[in-house]
Amino acid sequence: MRPGGSFAVMTDLSNYATVVAVDHGLSIVSTSRADGTIQSSLVNSGVLAHPITGEQVVAYVALGGAKKLANLRERPRMTIAVRGGWEWSAVEGDAELIGPDDPREGIDAERLRVLLREIFQSAGGTHEDWDTYDTVMREERRTAVLIAPARAYPATRRR
């Protein structure tokens, strides 16, 4: 605990990285709709270095035009949770979007192409034809979603 009795907020992603490796990064993301209700969906996530800052982030790739992207543009705070077996971990934080509809200074089309691959691989993904992968990502206007951890819950065993 911190002085004064408050709990320290954890932002270490090592537990998340351990659990995400168990089952191809299958994760649940939760965003907030305009009416305050929660929208959740299944994604593949991983942990990697932010392409600009180098800080560790949780990341996934979203289909261009996805409702979760619209939610995050208006309300960037989100939670992502992963489980592997009986272990689980979650991260809360603000999402940063980088893609064709969400350009970021310092990330050109080539760097975005590589970043989307890096995220896919950090989630345990492999591909036999990277040229086809790149084409699909470009045609679907895929967007990188990077979550800077404001709070990270450690892996926990529940039975």
Side-chain angles (χ1 to χ4, degrees), residues 25-41:
L26 288 175
S27 309
I28 300 293
V29 296
S30 297
T31 63
S32 178
R33 295 183 185 105
D35 67 2
T37 60
I38 301 300
Q39 185 265 335
S40 296
S41 57

Side-chain angles (χ1 to χ4, degrees), residues 2-119:
R2 290 183 179 165
S6 66
F7 287 94
V9 176
M10 293 184 51
T11 58
D12 175 27
L13 293 178
S14 60
N15 289 320
Y16 192 93
T18 298
V19 178
V20 84
V22 174
D23 194 13
H24 303 288
L26 288 175
S27 309
I28 300 293
V29 296
S30 297
T31 63
S32 178
R33 295 183 185 105
D35 67 2
T37 60
I38 301 300
Q39 185 265 335
S40 296
S41 57
L42 181 67
V43 300
N44 295 92
S45 72
V47 175
L48 70 155
H50 188 286
I52 302 290
T53 68
E55 296 292 322
Q56 291 289 289
V57 295
V58 174
Y60 67 93
V61 175
L63 181 66
K67 193 63 178 169
K68 64 181 145 281
L69 292 177
N71 290 341
L72 290 170
R73 286 182 187 109
E74 295 297 318
R75 293 161 301 284
R77 192 64 163 203
M78 65 170 296
T79 300
I80 186 164
V82 63
R83 91 164 218 349
W86 289 98
E87 302 292 325
W88 69 273
S89 187
V91 171
E92 295 176 21
D94 287 337
E96 177 182 2
L97 308 179
I98 303 174
D101 300 319
D102 300 281
R104 169 73 151 82
E105 188 174 326
I107 305 288
D108 61 11
E110 175 62 14
R111 182 61 185 108
L112 176 60
R113 180 188 69 78
V114 172
L115 177 60
L116 296 177
R117 282 187 186 190
E118 291 170 347
I119 294 169

